[in-house]
Amino acid sequence: MAKLVEVYDPRGVVEAAPLKLAPRVKKLEGLRLGLLDNTKWNANKLLRGVRDQLASKHALGAVNYYRKESFALAAAPGLLDRIAAENDIVLTAIGD
């Protein structure tokens, strides 16, 4: 007779309230762009490349760069508040 093995489902249960998406901007000219680096190896390179592409096609008002403490942790609430206050649009990336 085969021995039974208990198997756990690693997916867990996620409970989250649906959120409304932010309105999309019509144009980038004059907007303040925030870049949030998650500290993965290539995130900085990817974000700066996208920044350069956007800046070559649009007259951005400013570009502000931020860095999380660790890719494994959520951004600190204070950092998120600062990013929201100092920017009109924000871009983040995972650069493995």
Side-chain angles (χ1 to χ4, degrees):
M1 180 173 193
K3 183 178 177 182
L4 294 179
V5 176
E6 191 169 358
V7 177
Y8 294 95
D9 185 347
R11 296 175 294 177
V13 176
V14 176
E15 294 181 20
L19 297 174
K20 187 176 179 182
L21 292 176
R24 300 300 178 231
V25 298
K26 303 279 188 233
K27 60 182 183 170
L28 299 178
E29 282 64 30
L31 297 182
R32 301 167 298 164
L33 170 64
L35 301 173
L36 176 58
D37 183 339
N38 74 342
T39 69
K40 284 277 196 170
W41 289 104
N42 291 312
N44 179 18
K45 184 177 181 179
L46 178 60
L47 286 170
R48 290 182 189 275
V50 172
R51 174 207 60 199
D52 292 346
Q53 289 291 316
L54 291 174
S56 73
K57 297 177 183 174
H58 305 279
L60 298 169
V63 177
N64 301 306
Y65 188 83
Y66 308 89
R67 188 174 166 95
K68 286 177 36 174
E69 288 188 37
S70 169
F71 64 84
L73 301 173
L79 176 60
L80 295 177
D81 290 342
R82 182 175 165 213
I83 292 170
E86 296 176 357
N87 299 282
D88 302 303
I89 55 175
V90 180
L91 177 63
T92 190
I94 298 172
D96 283 339

